[in-house]
Amino acid sequence: MDEFQRSWLLAQLGPDTDPADLERRFVRLRSARAVALEVLGERRAKLLADPLKVTVDGVVTMDLQENLRGIERQIETVRQTPAPDDPEDEGEGADTLTMSVMVPSRRYR
């Protein structure tokens, strides 16, 4: 994993993410996007393992539903944005040549 991929992963996952863990995952998965999706999937699974909302009447209410929605939005963002190790030809119309014929909108006499 090069420095550009590492910085992209830390930007997606937060600066407190262990770089050694990211390196091990990258060696196994061979893609920065796959590493980010795996880490986010684990975070999502950890949230789902516990109750999302806990209420102790008159004392405290803890609601983690927005945290779950935030991680799901982040997963979608990682899926849709380009990763630093994506092949160049996957972009939409990077080197596309389009031709069209221009005709006047009304006829001249």
Side-chain angles (χ1 to χ4, degrees), residues 8 24 45:
W8 183 83
R24 284 189 300 273

Side-chain angles (χ1 to χ4, degrees), residues 50-56 59-65 67:
D50 296 327
L52 291 176
K53 189 171 186 176
V54 176
T55 303
V56 178
V59 179
V60 68
T61 298
M62 189 173 79
D63 189 2
L64 299 175
Q65 292 175 358
N67 292 357

Side-chain angles (χ1 to χ4, degrees), residues 12-97:
Q12 300 301 315
L13 302 172
D16 295 336
T17 307
D18 181 22
D21 180 47
L22 295 179
E23 186 74 35
R24 284 189 300 273
R25 290 174 193 258
F26 186 80
V27 168
R28 182 172 46 88
L29 297 171
R30 308 301 304 160
S31 165
R33 182 187 314 279
V35 170
L37 290 173
E38 183 176 75
V39 171
L40 291 171
E42 286 177 3
R43 290 179 184 176
R44 181 180 180 273
K46 192 180 293 186
L47 275 175
L48 288 173
D50 296 327
L52 291 176
K53 189 171 186 176
V54 176
T55 303
V56 178
D57 290 334
V59 179
V60 68
T61 298
M62 189 173 79
D63 189 2
L64 299 175
Q65 292 175 358
E66 284 303 316
N67 292 357
L68 178 62
R69 286 188 199 112
I71 287 179
E72 289 173 345
R73 284 192 302 266
Q74 192 174 10
I75 288 171
E76 282 305 310
T77 301
V78 167
R79 283 187 179 140
Q80 294 173 359
T81 58
D85 55 359
D86 283 346
E88 293 296 324
D89 60 349
E90 279 189 17
E92 277 187 38
D95 295 326
T96 304
L97 176 64

